[in-house]
Amino acid sequence: KLCRATLLSPGQLVVQNTGIKQESKAKMCWWVCFRAGYHSESKAKEYKHVCKRACQRAVDRLKAGALAVEAVAAALVELEDSPFTNAGMGSNLNLSGEIECDASIMDGKSLHYGAVGAISGIKNPVLVANRLLSEAQKGKLSAGRIPPCFLVGRGAHDWAVSHGIPPCPSEKMASKFSLSAYKRNKRKMELAEKIDTGHNHTKKRRQSSENENGSGCLDTVGAVVIDLEGNVAAAVSSGGLAMKHPGRVGQAAHYGCGCWAENACSMNSHSTAVSTSGCGEHLIRTMLARECSAAMQSEDAHQALLEAMQNKFISSPFLAGEDRVLGGVIVLRCCRCVEPPPSQNIQGILVEFLWSHTTESMCVGYMSAQDSKAKTHISRLPPGTVPGQCLAIEGGVCRLMSPYNALL
């Protein structure tokens, strides 16, 4: 049964039904995309439509025989191309009025990882991250050189172009939404700079910080996927905080912070895929993606994620000086299971899907290959709660069915 848990304060937990129906048995694959931050009611239709398209894109690839890592990259491309997301086209502009993007992808089967940071002039940063991952899987370069898994700035751009990824003129990367936001934020900063120093300095710095780190600027996009073979993958992409300093690299490019994917092995009984969104500095200092993945090896996934978000994020000693800790995660956890008689020779994959956020809202889309269309949902903190100081958790369970010869 799907439920919603809202942590109002340490030790005070309210659980409610979400109204989302539990998924039935699915014959193929499952995937989810999300963005955390603030989602206005007036644009709710657009946000949901973007998620639906991304879901369909991923499922189409899976139906065509693609593995999880290929499907998750396809989903991110769709999200990056939307003017309503802070990723790829239409990303936030930095202090210099330029777009610099971060992205990463991880394959749970090979455990390979690819990432780019502060890259400009590339329409789909996730394609560069994915190409880095695939090139690394080929082995060492000439003279025994180790291939890169993480490139930044101009070097990342030049590597992408040399590997067949077309450049995109920087002036075409901005959307009317991102340009409008940049002009608005620039006016605010110019006004703040006119304020006399002295007793107003602290106030000015606080106002600037609140403007840059408001939850409306934190809508990183990400996805997690499981394919028919049980492989998982995760990816994340972001244009970063509005008015960020040029060269700043957020959590979307950092290992263990933006995304994580790991197939089950002798040490871990569950496969896990995690993608994060929110304030990059908060997510980097807590390595939230990897922390949530590790927590998912516990017996109760819902309780484990709740405790991870509370203890490893909101109450993390690494963020002790922060008034509001802003972030969100989407998680897949799966394991092999055997159907009871008379289908005892039929194996399936039990999949638990959860999302949690401390931001005002999170837009989520999810779909299995048997679905005719994706389902979407905007999760919101209850009225009266303070973003960054409380959290919401939602999720559910489905079973992916397919004949297997033996348990793995």
Side-chain angles (χ1 to χ4, degrees):
K1 186 176 182 180
L2 281 80
C3 64
R4 175 189 180 94
T6 304
L7 189 65
L8 301 178
S9 61
Q12 184 179 7
L13 182 66
V14 176
V15 181
Q16 302 169 306
N17 290 332
T18 62
I20 304 173
K21 295 182 180 179
Q22 183 177 355
E23 290 301 304
S24 59
K25 294 177 182 177
K27 294 181 179 179
M28 284 187 69
C29 41
W30 181 268
W31 106 278
V32 187
C33 72
F34 79 97
R35 39 199 312 262
Y38 172 73
H39 306 88
S40 66
E41 295 288 356
S42 62
K43 294 181 180 179
K45 184 176 180 180
E46 286 86 352
Y47 295 139
K48 290 181 177 181
H49 188 56
V50 171
C51 284
K52 285 182 178 180
R53 291 203 313 267
C55 287
Q56 190 64 61
R57 183 86 171 262
V59 167
D60 287 346
R61 293 298 302 275
L62 289 165
K63 285 182 176 180
L67 296 177
V69 70
E70 298 167 343
V72 82
L76 262 292
V77 168
E78 191 69 35
L79 292 167
E80 288 176 336
D81 286 348
S82 170
F84 292 99
T85 66
N86 177 26
M89 299 289 288
S91 291
N92 285 329
L93 278 65
N94 64 18
L95 280 172
S96 300
E98 299 174 343
I99 288 178
E100 294 181 327
C101 298
D102 307 323
S104 64
I105 187 169
M106 188 167 180
D107 177 19
K109 182 178 181 180
S110 67
L111 299 182
H112 277 278
Y113 166 88
V116 290
I119 188 172
S120 297
I122 296 294
K123 180 182 176 183
N124 297 113
V126 73
L127 292 182
V128 189
N130 192 39
R131 187 61 183 270
L132 282 164
L133 184 154
S134 61
E135 289 297 315
Q137 290 177 327
K138 296 178 181 179
K140 293 184 179 180
L141 305 174
S142 60
R145 292 175 299 136
I146 297 175
C149 67
F150 183 11
L151 292 175
V152 299
R154 186 68 191 182
H157 175 275
D158 293 346
W159 187 94
V161 173
S162 69
H163 284 77
I165 298 174
C168 179
S170 297
E171 60 271 18
K172 292 186 178 181
M173 292 287 292
S175 68
K176 63 179 182 180
F177 303 107
S178 60
L179 282 172
S180 176
Y182 172 72
K183 293 176 182 178
R184 184 171 60 252
N185 288 328
K186 189 173 182 180
R187 286 195 297 268
K188 289 181 180 180
M189 292 187 65
E190 290 173 347
L191 180 62
E193 289 171 357
K194 294 180 181 179
I195 300 175
D196 293 335
T197 57
H199 69 279
N200 286 326
H201 180 71
T202 301
K203 180 180 179 181
K204 178 182 70 174
R205 186 174 61 236
R206 183 175 63 251
Q207 289 174 336
S208 176
S209 176
E210 289 172 352
N211 175 66
E212 290 183 23
N213 296 317
S215 59
C217 305
L218 308 177
D219 48 357
T220 296
V221 300
V224 286
V225 171
I226 178 173
D227 62 27
L228 180 60
E229 297 179 5
N231 301 309
V232 294
V236 63
S237 182
S238 177
L241 297 176
M243 308 305 286
K244 65 183 180 180
H245 194 284
R248 180 261 190 185
V249 177
Q251 107 285 352
H254 281 78
Y255 188 69
C257 305
C259 67
W260 191 265
E262 191 172 358
N263 280 10
C265 61
S266 58
M267 296 179 63
N268 296 323
S269 58
H270 295 89
S271 296
T272 58
V274 181
S275 193
T276 70
S277 178
C279 178
E281 279 65 24
H282 296 170
L283 297 163
I284 291 170
R285 288 155 65 185
T286 54
M287 294 191 70
L288 189 62
R290 192 169 184 180
E291 288 285 2
C292 288
S293 176
M296 287 299 100
Q297 297 304 322
S298 300
E299 181 177 350
D300 187 333
H302 185 279
Q303 183 64 27
L305 182 58
L306 175 64
E307 292 178 357
M309 288 293 290
Q310 176 61 37
N311 300 329
K312 302 294 184 178
F313 193 55
I314 294 179
S315 302
S316 171
F318 298 103
L319 300 177
E322 300 291 342
D323 294 330
R324 297 193 302 159
V325 180
L326 298 167
V329 298
I330 193 76
V331 179
L332 283 184
R333 183 177 88 159
C334 48
C335 65
R336 302 287 185 188
C337 56
V338 179
E339 281 290 277
S343 305
Q344 59 185 6
N345 293 325
I346 300 297
Q347 293 183 36
I349 303 172
L350 185 66
V351 180
E352 296 173 87
F353 53 104
L354 299 166
W355 56 90
S356 178
H357 58 98
T358 67
T359 53
E360 292 183 51
S361 58
M362 173 181 283
C363 185
V364 185
Y366 50 99
M367 185 177 185
S368 70
Q370 72 170 11
D371 295 330
S372 59
K373 61 181 180 179
K375 300 174 180 64
T376 57
H377 172 60
I378 297 182
S379 172
R380 298 185 185 277
L381 293 178
T385 56
V386 180
Q389 296 179 1
C390 59
L391 65 88
I393 280 187
E394 300 181 66
V397 179
C398 74
R399 191 183 300 259
L400 310 182
M401 299 308 299
S402 179
Y404 289 88
N405 293 322
L407 283 171
L408 300 180

